[in-house]
Structures are given as structure tokens and as C-alpha cells.
Amino acid sequence: MPISHHVTLTQFLISERQRFPKASGNLNGLLLDIAVACKAISSAVAMGELTGNGGAVAEEGGNINVQGETQKKLDVISNRVFIERNERCGHLAGMASEEMELPYQIPKSYRRGKYLLVFDPLDGSSNIDVNVSVGSIFSILKGPDDGRDVIEADFMQTGATQVAAGYAIYGPTTMLMLTVGNGVQGFTLDPRIGEFMLTHRDIQIPPDTNEFAINASNSRFWQAPIKRYVDECLKGKTGPRGKDFNMRWIASMVAEAHRILMRGGVFMYPRDTKDPKIAGRLRLLYEANPIAMIMEQAGGRCSTGEKPMLEIVPKELHQRIGLIFGSKNEVNRIEKYHREPITPKSDEPLFAHRSLFRD
Ligand code: AHG
Ligand code: MN
Ligand code: MN
């Protein structure tokens, strides 16, 4: 079979750079190192139990990360791969990761650059042992360029300031979805030559959908606007939406984001009353913001429910936040419901004495 005729990631980045004649090429160098990290993680994930890393809990350290979650071996391996593949590129002032409490200082033996790399090395890792698609999420910000150590405050930038963002999804095919602020491009890894090939150019998310994703087991904790939105979807043709909806929940946000990027939809992990001490399940800097940049660059929307995600000013590195993203008309509708507080009516299926789903 001939090697595909597609443009490689490298060729794409070179052509993109030509749009900025003064560009130093540092961002391209960093993106290519991130792509190598994703290829290495793809290979480690694909080996699964063959290397004993199928879903095993990490042995190193206390294996409870700063999130209070049990780390899988592959969380630790993926984190190390991101560090090792990117710390030498000479383009980074520092890094931050879901799996590390503090920012990572680039060793003094390596040249430091002007970018900050923030990442979730393995998203959806609770799915590793059941062989469901997982992924890596990354966000690139401008950092200090005087070679000093980075501090948490350097990372407290809104999502709107991201220079680039993207994710890799390790599924039946490994793909890299990337935006450098000029639309969203999708690259498919050709395992025959180990290259990411441009297969999805200028992706656009359909503005409407009939598919929503939410963890319905949390329905008793949802706030009224979310209950209203989901209930209207559940009422289908007979309800105010006048059409039937489909529901998905993969518990791997990268997989949900990819489905939405490919065919539209809406994902909700809203702030709820389950644990009033935390503002949501997902993290702002390395999950919500990069996904928000991807979604908005592809013509979709991303919101906390109240506010556009990209406007949120972070207060701390591992800050959690309610996250809603996808087809713009659905996200706009959910934001509208947040502006129109309602009191739930007792005949709504969600509040009926019977279960969430009418028996
Ligand atoms: P991570 O594996 O990086 O901790 O992220 C998992 C996240 C996200 O991928 C997914 O949407 C969500 O957790 C699933 O949460 P529930 O298990 O509560 O459904
Ligand atoms: Mn994650
Ligand atoms: Mn993770």
C-alpha cells in the first residue's frame, strides 16, 4: 500500500509558520516534541497488559496524586514521557501537569525558552483496564523569557491567552487534534512510518445536535438549569425541543470531545452540589482551557454554564471548574437557562417520584 499522500504534521507546521515571517520556529519545535511524546504514549497504551501497565495502579510514591486520585502506572509513565520529551527542546520556561503538585523547573543544564507547557498526560485513565479510548491534553502559554525558575503565578493566564492547544486520542487510530489559533486540524498517526498525517483540515462543529453527554448518575446533584436542559432532551419529540436526543457517557473526556469535534454534540460536567467544596470535576488549566480553545476554534462553544471558559482567570494551578462544551447553539441554550433561574416543576420526569427515566 503506497505511503499516504497526506501532508505531514511537520509540513503543515512549516506552511503555517510562513504566515508569520518573523516566527522563530520555536513553537513548531515544541509542537513536534509534544507530538513525539504523544506517539510514545500511544505505543505504551497500546502495549497494555503486555507490559503489565494495563490498568495497574502506580507503585511509585504514594500513588495518590495532588487531585486525591489514585494514579495508574500509565499516568506516571505518560507524565514522565511528556517531561523527558519536552524538557530538552530549549523552548520551555517551565511545565505544569495534572500529575505534579508544583510547576516543573527545566533543569539548568538545558536551555530555557519562552513557553509554558501545561498538560494532562493521560485523560480518562480510569478506562485503561477496559480498553476504552484515552488521550493526552496540552496547552501552550507564553512564559517568562529571562530564564528564571517559573512560579505558579506565571500560569495564571486566561484560556484566551493560549498560544496553541490540542489533544491526542489513543483509540482505534491515534490522532492529534491541534489549533495554533487558525482553526483546528486533525492528524492521523500512520503507524507504518510513525508520522502524523493531516487528515482533517479546518474542522467545523455542527451548531446543532441531538446528542448530549453527561454522567446521569449525578442527576440528584445538578443545579436547576442543567436539570431543565437534560429533562427537555429526555422529553424528546413530545417536549419543548420537538426532537429526540441520544445520550453518551464514555468517562473519557478526550473521547467525548473527539466525538463532538467530528459530529457535534454537547458535553456537560457541570459544577454540582455533590461536593460543595469543589467547583467541578474537571481542571481548568489542562483540561477545560485547551478543550475550550479547540472547540471555539472549530466554531463550537465552551462555557462554565455562566461564563465563556476562555475568560476565566485562574486562581490556582489545579483549580477545578464546571465544564460545558460542544455545538454552539446547545451551549448558548444552556447559558441562557443559567440566566433564567427556574423553580423545577414537580411533573418534570427528573423530579417525578420514579427514576430519572420513566419506567
Ligand atoms: P483523568 O483520567 O485525567 O483524571 O480525567 C478523567 C475525567 C474525564 O476524562 C472524564 O470526563 C471524567 O473524568 C469522568 O468522570 P466520572 O468518572 O465522574 O464520570
Ligand atoms: Mn483528565
Ligand atoms: Mn489525567
Side-chain angles (χ1 to χ4, degrees), residues 170-248:
Y170 313 121
T173 64
T174 286
M175 291 189 72
L176 179 71
M177 313 308 282
L178 173 68
T179 181
V180 292
N182 183 34
V184 176
Q185 319 302 326
F187 300 83
T188 302
L189 180 65
D190 182 337
R192 299 168 299 181
I193 56 175
E195 275 292 345
F196 278 113
M197 311 304 280
L198 180 58
T199 49
H200 297 69
R201 199 183 272 273
D202 298 327
I203 295 166
Q204 283 298 306
I205 300 175
D208 297 300
T209 185
N210 63 357
E211 198 159 61
F212 69 96
I214 193 164
N215 182 339
S217 69
N218 294 323
S219 63
R220 64 188 183 284
F221 303 118
W222 295 339
Q223 294 173 345
I226 295 294
K227 284 178 179 173
R228 173 182 175 187
Y229 177 81
V230 173
D231 193 59
E232 289 181 354
C233 291
L234 292 176
K235 281 180 149 180
K237 277 200 185 72
T238 62
R241 300 301 306 273
K243 62 180 185 177
D244 290 340
F245 279 75
N246 201 0
M247 191 177 103
R248 287 282 182 276

Side-chain angles (χ1 to χ4, degrees), residues 98 120 122-124 137 253 282-283 287:
E98 175 186 285
D120 174 359
L122 201 62
D123 175 71
I137 312 172
M253 182 184 61
L282 298 166
R283 282 67 46 136
E287 288 174 319

Side-chain angles (χ1 to χ4, degrees), residues 101-116:
E101 183 173 359
L102 301 172
Y104 179 81
Q105 305 300 342
I106 304 296
K108 290 266 195 301
S109 51
Y110 299 134
R111 187 164 54 87
R112 291 178 173 183
K114 64 184 176 186
Y115 292 115
L116 297 171

Side-chain angles (χ1 to χ4, degrees), residues 40-41 74 97 119 129 136 141 156 177 196 205 215 222 228 240 258 266 291 304 308-309 314 316:
I41 294 167
L74 274 169
S97 161
F119 57 93
D129 47 350
S136 302
L141 299 164
M156 298 301 107
M177 313 308 282
F196 278 113
I205 300 175
N215 182 339
W222 295 339
R228 173 182 175 187
H258 195 70
V266 61
I291 293 299
T304 63
M309 190 59 68
E316 55 179 42

